[in-house]
Amino acid sequence: MEHIVNRHGLNMPKLGLGTWPMVGEDCTRAVLQALELGYRHIDTAAGYQNEDAVGAALAATSVPREQIHVTSKVWWDQLEPQALRASFERSLRDLRSEYVDLFLIHWPTPDMNLRRTLDVIADLKERGLARAIGVANFPLALLREAVETIGAPLAAIQVEYHVTLGQQKLLDFVRQHEMALTAYSPLARNRVSEIPEIVAIARKHGVLPTQIALAWLLEQPGVAAVPKAAGKSNQTSNLESLDVRLDDEDRATIAALPKNERLVNPAFAPQWDDAA
Ligand SMILES: NC(=O)c1ccc[n+]([C@@H]2O[C@H](COP(=O)([O-])OP(=O)(O)OC[C@H]3O[C@@H](n4cnc5c(N)ncnc54)[C@H](OP(=O)(O)O)[C@@H]3O)[C@@H](O)[C@H]2O)c1
């Protein structure tokens, strides 16, 4: 499977398994099955309350831990240094791991002390407990402050990104800084299967609309995607989207779709940049 590698310690397979909102045995089963199918990238978070279930799968699988990329995240109410360190330690304990491969600030908050928060996660990276660090749901101005003003060694940002939500400004920035962008809700929670243009492209190639939506993300340099799928059939077809090739006509059709359909916008979300 193709990996994204960068100078800030990242070595991340382009396709991962999203685990929210799975918990408990269902989550363990789904992760174990994904590992069996060939997934080597699992996306979890303290906020998903499933790190213990992911950890159970990591302990039970025959796939060696060092062959699996695990991303986890700290929730926005745990960003004070002491709380952040404690949350990270719980993550390691629940994941039954000595390190995480990528550790993210899950959401920014208006009153966070950005420099102090970034210093804590940079220290986790220096100590080898987080192989790489990054952020999620940061608008461009805040990401710029983190990377250019503060100089934090961020390897990646995770944001909502799919055929009907653009992220061009963030993509331009991360490419300039040799970072990765992980697309969450990459299937727009399966709404992509109802977009006539995507259905038509899928029919032309003899594949599923979800595979077209993922192939479009995965062909982009520096972009990874973490579709969530509980069952074997959806996990398999999502994995097989790595083999789907789009042509220029497909790309033009997808480029012309609306790019402002944001699905994840909780009350604590920051002021987003205009989608582009
Ligand atoms: N950083 C953040 O703030 C943030 C926010 C949201 C999500 N995330 C991460 O991103 C992951 C994915 O996002 P998401 O769960 O919001 O949306 P998504 O991956 O776009 O969509 C998941 C939905 O699509 C269905 N599905 C998956 N594969 C399919 C297929 N091949 N055909 C038809 N339906 C399919 C799933 O059903 P089945 O399970 O039944 O297959 C599920 O209902 C999450 O699990 C989480 O890890 C991060």
Side-chain angles (χ1 to χ4, degrees):
M1 196 188 290
E2 200 187 333
H3 284 229
I4 302 172
V5 179
N6 73 26
R7 68 197 159 94
H8 288 311
L10 192 71
N11 185 2
M12 176 168 73
K14 282 202 128 201
L15 186 75
L17 180 77
T19 62
W20 179 86
M22 297 185 287
V23 291
E25 281 174 19
D26 290 347
C27 180
T28 303
R29 216 178 356 254
V31 172
L32 268 174
Q33 178 178 261
L35 291 169
E36 212 165 285
L37 291 171
Y39 283 76
R40 293 293 180 267
H41 169 176
I42 308 295
D43 185 75
T44 181
Y48 301 168
Q49 302 191 352
N50 66 10
E51 288 173 303
D52 55 343
V54 172
L58 295 175
T61 181
S62 58
V63 181
R65 174 66 185 84
E66 63 271 18
Q67 289 178 21
I68 306 169
H69 170 100
V70 177
T71 296
S72 195
K73 319 181 188 87
V74 58
W75 196 237
W76 58 265
D77 61 358
Q78 303 292 316
L79 297 182
E80 285 298 317
Q82 214 180 341
L84 205 170
R85 286 196 196 92
S87 174
F88 181 78
E89 274 164 28
R90 279 194 301 277
S91 292
L92 285 190
R93 185 200 63 204
D94 288 351
L95 289 166
R96 306 192 202 181
S97 294
E98 288 169 6
Y99 60 91
V100 294
D101 298 273
L102 177 62
F103 187 61
L104 307 178
I105 298 169
H106 205 147
W107 290 89
T109 66
D111 56 355
M112 73 192 289
N113 182 322
L114 185 61
R115 185 181 293 272
R116 204 168 59 200
T117 309
L118 291 169
D119 278 351
V120 175
I121 63 168
D123 177 60
L124 298 174
K125 174 175 156 55
E126 266 164 39
R127 290 159 59 205
L129 300 171
R131 296 274 156 94
I133 55 171
V135 295
N137 299 304
F138 270 40
L140 178 59
L142 200 58
L143 182 65
R144 188 185 295 285
E145 190 183 339
V147 172
E148 292 183 350
T149 311
I150 297 175
L154 302 186
I157 180 165
Q158 182 176 122
V159 287
E160 181 177 344
Y161 184 32
H162 44 73
V163 291
T164 47
L165 183 70
Q167 289 293 4
Q168 196 55 50
K169 290 179 194 166
L170 276 178
L171 285 167
D172 291 344
F173 182 87
V174 300
R175 288 190 181 129
Q176 185 196 338
H177 290 275
E178 294 177 61
M179 294 171 62
L181 185 146
T182 302
Y184 78 64
S185 306
L187 301 172
R189 302 197 161 153
N190 199 26
R191 283 173 175 75
V192 298
S193 298
E194 279 142 37
I195 301 172
E197 291 88 341
I198 301 292
V199 172
I201 297 171
R203 209 168 280 145
K204 181 176 100 181
H205 291 277
V207 300
L208 296 168
T210 44
Q211 293 180 308
I212 297 297
L214 291 177
W216 178 76
L217 291 168
L218 295 169
E219 72 171 13
Q220 300 176 35
V223 174
V226 287
K228 175 262 176 182
K232 189 173 184 177
S233 145
N234 287 348
Q235 286 186 356
T236 304
S237 83
N238 293 347
L239 193 60
E240 288 174 352
S241 65
L242 286 163
D243 301 323
V244 174
R245 297 282 166 266
L246 305 180
D247 60 34
D248 285 344
E249 192 189 11
D250 305 334
R251 292 184 192 106
T253 304
I254 295 172
L257 291 174
K259 291 281 180 267
N260 58 359
E261 296 182 2
R262 188 181 291 281
L263 301 174
V264 180
N265 198 12
F268 50 79
Q271 182 74 42
W272 302 108
D273 300 310
D274 292 335

